Amino acid sequence: MVRLEDVQILLQTAQLGSLSAAARALDISPAVASAALKRLEQELGCRLLVRSTRSLRLTADGERYLAHATVALEALQAGAQALAAGREALQGLLSLSMPSDIGRQRLRPWLDEFLAEHPAVRLQLHISDRLADLYRMPVDLALRYGVPEDSSLVALPLLPDNRRVLCAAPDYLARHGHPLKPEDLSAHACLRFVLGDALHERWRFGHQGEWVSVAVDGRLKSDDGEIVRRWALAGLGIAYKSRLDVMDDLRAGTLQALLPAYQTERAPLYLVCPHRMMLSPLVVRLREFLQQRLQHHVAALP
């Protein structure tokens, strides 16, 4: 196996043009440096250097190997620097936008934990289901369901496999019965959600590879996802929510999942920012933290 220190001796020798100069720079004896180069040549099965009493130069094989070795050592150094940066205290201001329901229920308590771990970090939180304009509003990052339509935004997946779930309170189902197929929803009170100017009134379901879109109706609609969830908990109708929003309610039995034989719409969760230059160590650590919490939490879902 190639030793890292042998490769470093080769690079230093090539840069300085002298084995003895490389040995002095690395604070080792010329004999140790010479033995390292011989060992490296034996491991690779080729001559890397042509040496004489007055000169030293790389062979053609040595030139080829040196290019790869330089890249490899630079990558290792970058990795060490990244680890060192990760050990340093994170600091700075995070201006973060997130959806109302999961923001209040789940993400806000997790962010409290994150701030406790990193006391030099300050947080400015915007909780709303209206999509934040990351170019005009004083917001650095946004948590969003679905891939952003603006392809210039950087979207980092947090939970790409998340889906919607059709659900209702046991009280509602006791009074109105269970829908057995998507078309049955036309006879039920459906709790609809407004995002921007669009009313989410066509709900899609898949079964045996085929998808159907059904138009739903009801007396209640809101542009706040938490209000829709509370209506569902109050037994006022059927909701089609992100599974993340109702995970605790499903566990507790205060909401029941419906149409289990049907596949539901995807609702992937992303961390979105305007530019990759904004992916600071603080943002990278926040993403890792939220990913760990989300994956652990959904692993226990019914």
Side-chain angles (χ1 to χ4, degrees):
M1 180 180 293
V2 171
R3 299 185 183 183
L4 179 61
E5 57 269 27
D6 294 351
V7 178
Q8 290 174 319
I9 291 170
L10 172 67
L11 263 63
Q12 196 77 354
T13 302
Q15 290 171 359
L16 298 177
S18 165
L19 183 61
S20 57
R24 286 194 299 272
L26 296 171
D27 195 23
I28 58 176
S29 69
V32 170
S34 179
L37 292 176
K38 289 180 180 178
R39 184 167 54 240
L40 181 60
E41 288 178 333
Q42 289 174 354
E43 186 68 35
L44 296 174
C46 64
R47 291 290 300 274
L48 300 173
L49 294 164
V50 176
R51 286 161 283 184
S52 68
T53 55
R54 295 186 178 182
S55 66
L56 178 148
R57 64 177 176 82
L58 289 166
T59 64
D61 286 338
E63 292 280 2
R64 282 192 292 270
Y65 183 73
L66 185 69
H68 294 285
T70 301
V71 172
L73 285 178
E74 288 175 350
L76 289 172
Q77 290 170 355
Q81 291 170 358
L83 290 175
R87 288 190 293 267
E88 294 176 359
L90 297 178
Q91 59 183 331
L93 173 65
L94 270 178
S95 182
L96 182 62
S97 170
M98 61 179 58
S100 64
D101 205 345
I102 188 177
R104 290 188 177 94
Q105 283 193 81
R106 186 56 52 198
L107 296 176
R108 198 276 305 162
W110 286 343
L111 288 170
D112 291 347
E113 293 181 39
F114 186 80
L115 292 176
E117 291 180 12
H118 306 287
V121 175
R122 294 178 296 148
L123 179 65
Q124 181 175 339
L125 198 56
H126 304 263
I127 295 186
S128 173
D129 285 317
R130 292 190 175 274
L131 295 180
D133 188 333
L134 297 181
Y135 297 110
R136 295 183 180 180
M137 293 179 63
V139 173
D140 302 320
L141 304 165
L143 282 98
R144 291 184 181 175
Y145 286 118
V147 181
E149 294 182 1
D150 186 347
S151 60
S152 65
L153 294 173
V154 178
L156 306 173
L158 289 176
L159 201 64
D161 297 329
N162 184 52
R163 289 187 174 274
R164 294 185 177 275
V165 60
L166 191 72
C167 57
D171 175 62
Y172 175 88
L173 297 171
R175 288 182 285 113
H176 300 281
H178 288 65
L180 301 179
K181 56 185 184 299
E183 291 77 10
D184 292 346
L185 292 173
S186 61
H188 285 269
C190 293
L191 305 171
R192 295 170 297 166
F193 178 66
V194 181
L195 182 59
D197 297 325
L199 174 62
H200 189 220
E201 59 182 346
R202 297 197 69 87
W203 297 354
R204 297 181 67 248
F205 302 90
H207 185 62
Q208 296 181 348
E210 294 186 2
W211 285 81
V212 296
S213 177
V214 296
V216 298
D217 198 5
R219 296 172 59 200
L220 301 174
K221 61 184 177 182
S222 176
D223 64 353
D224 189 305
E226 184 181 12
I227 294 296
V228 172
R229 171 176 158 270
R230 291 190 180 188
W231 281 338
L233 288 168
L236 298 179
I238 296 177
Y240 198 32
K241 293 278 293 175
S242 159
R243 195 168 179 84
L244 282 174
D245 291 348
V246 295
M247 60 175 66
D248 290 336
D249 306 313
L250 295 172
R251 285 197 185 108
T254 51
L255 289 177
Q256 293 182 12
L258 307 174
L259 302 183
Y262 287 82
Q263 192 174 6
T264 53
E265 296 178 35
R266 294 183 66 247
L269 184 65
Y270 287 87
L271 185 65
V272 181
C273 65
H275 197 278
R276 288 199 173 273
M277 294 296 291
M278 300 183 69
L279 300 181
S280 64
L282 174 55
V283 172
V284 171
R285 180 67 191 101
L286 175 65
R287 181 201 178 194
E288 293 172 349
F289 176 87
L290 292 177
Q291 275 186 312
Q292 291 169 358
R293 292 296 188 276
L294 286 164
Q295 290 169 0
H296 175 75
H297 203 62
V298 300
L301 272 175

